[in-house]
Amino acid sequence: MTVGGIFGLYSKGATSVRCRRHQMDAKLRKTLEDFPKFSVSQLTRVGTDSQGFTRFELNGEFDRLVQPQGQITWFWLLIGDRAAVCAQWKSVGPGNVATVTADEKEMPEIVGKTLYYLSPAWDARHIWMVLDEQWGWKRVLFQAVDAVAEAFEATDISIVDGREVKTWTKLSRADKCKSTKRYAPTLDDTLVSGRPAQLVPGGWDHEHCQLCREHINNGDFGYRDEDDHWLCESCYDKYVKHHDLSFVDDL
């Protein structure tokens, strides 16, 4: 056999392996079409409150059995184009027929359309940030910044690690970045609400991955969007690169 013939056989074999791998990856990758679907047959306006929110009732049918998760009665219905409504269960009938409600100022035309169910364990934002190619992720180095710590007293007592906690510390970035604030029990119960805020040098020393919640620590690379949401490199490589929604089952 000639060298060209051997190379041809090798190339065909390698291509075959790559094709099989691609097919396997495609089967493993989760898309919106794999989510439970809710077909809307009727939309009714129930009333509007003083803040301008209208209570909508959505009648329709799920394509599979979907039920409330314990005492949690709300969930997401994804519409598409970064749109979603936060829905509440009202009733579930035979044959996966259901009536749900949603309080919205406006509701897009959804009668006759199929919406996608997302568990309340996730935010609709998590779906779009993985699917949208224009989301704007940038790989950056996280560096600690100063933080501002404020002690305050809660109205109710919480149990944390077996002890009663009423005084908390709110931590926020000193540079007033968009990052969310963090709350932790104070180690010193004598701290009371009203004490002057304190500057903590380098106190904002990590971010949380939006998907797996692991720390992205000072000196670590991660991916950040324009609203200062972060993803660790592992989640970015596994989910965003492939527009794979299997994190809703994996994590």
Side-chain angles (χ1 to χ4, degrees):
M1 182 179 290
T2 65
V3 173
I6 294 174
F7 181 77
L9 286 175
Y10 173 78
S11 297
K12 290 178 182 178
T15 300
S16 178
V17 169
R18 283 197 297 270
C19 286
R20 286 198 299 272
R21 240 177 233 162
H22 177 75
Q23 290 171 354
M24 289 175 63
D25 289 343
K27 289 179 181 178
L28 293 174
R29 186 170 69 91
K30 191 181 185 77
T31 71
L32 268 183
E33 290 302 313
D34 297 314
F35 283 50
K37 300 177 183 66
F38 181 66
S39 300
V40 183
S41 58
Q42 184 178 5
L43 180 68
T44 306
R45 292 173 178 263
V46 178
T48 303
D49 64 19
S50 59
Q51 296 181 327
F53 285 92
T54 298
R55 170 68 55 90
F56 294 92
E57 281 193 0
L58 289 69
N59 293 318
E61 183 177 352
F62 284 97
D63 69 338
R64 69 197 75 171
L65 180 63
V66 179
Q67 293 181 323
Q69 299 185 5
Q71 296 182 343
I72 301 176
T73 61
W74 68 272
F75 57 95
W76 296 100
L77 285 175
L78 308 175
I79 301 172
D81 297 325
R82 293 195 188 184
V85 295
C86 182
Q88 295 267 355
W89 293 101
K90 182 177 180 181
S91 63
V92 180
N96 300 327
V97 172
T99 299
V100 303
T101 64
D103 296 331
E104 301 285 335
K105 289 194 173 181
E106 295 181 7
M107 181 71 75
E109 179 54 54
I110 58 174
V111 175
K113 294 186 177 181
T114 297
L115 311 186
Y116 301 93
Y117 169 91
L118 176 64
S119 159
W122 298 97
D123 192 286
R125 178 185 70 249
H126 297 136
I127 300 300
W128 310 135
M129 65 171 49
V130 169
L131 291 183
D132 192 343
E133 294 183 357
Q134 306 302 318
W135 192 266
W137 291 112
K138 292 182 179 179
R139 185 174 183 266
V140 295
L141 179 71
F142 174 73
Q143 295 178 300
V145 297
D146 296 344
V148 175
E150 300 174 78
F152 69 95
E153 190 171 293
T155 55
D156 298 318
I157 294 176
S158 301
I159 305 298
V160 180
D161 293 332
R163 73 181 183 95
E164 294 185 351
V165 175
K166 194 171 184 180
T167 305
W168 295 77
T169 297
K170 179 178 73 174
L171 196 71
S172 55
R173 290 178 62 132
D175 60 4
K176 303 186 185 302
C177 187
K178 294 179 182 178
S179 292
T180 56
K181 296 175 175 57
R182 295 175 185 153
Y183 299 87
T186 56
L187 299 178
D188 184 356
D189 289 334
T190 63
L191 294 176
V192 295
S193 178
R195 178 175 175 173
Q198 294 181 312
L199 184 68
V200 183
W204 196 271
D205 59 1
H206 69 275
E207 290 288 353
H208 290 274
C209 174
Q210 284 283 308
L211 299 184
C212 70
R213 304 306 299 169
E214 288 294 325
H215 283 194
I216 302 168
N217 294 312
N218 183 45
D220 290 343
F221 277 96
Y223 287 83
R224 184 180 66 194
D225 67 10
E226 294 179 352
D227 291 321
D228 210 43
H229 298 123
W230 286 76
L231 288 179
C232 68
E233 290 192 292
S234 176
C235 284
Y236 182 87
D237 290 342
K238 186 173 183 180
Y239 303 114
V240 178
K241 275 187 177 180
H242 306 288
H243 307 299
D244 181 6
L245 301 177
S246 62
F247 64 86
V248 301
D249 303 319
D250 296 342
L251 301 173

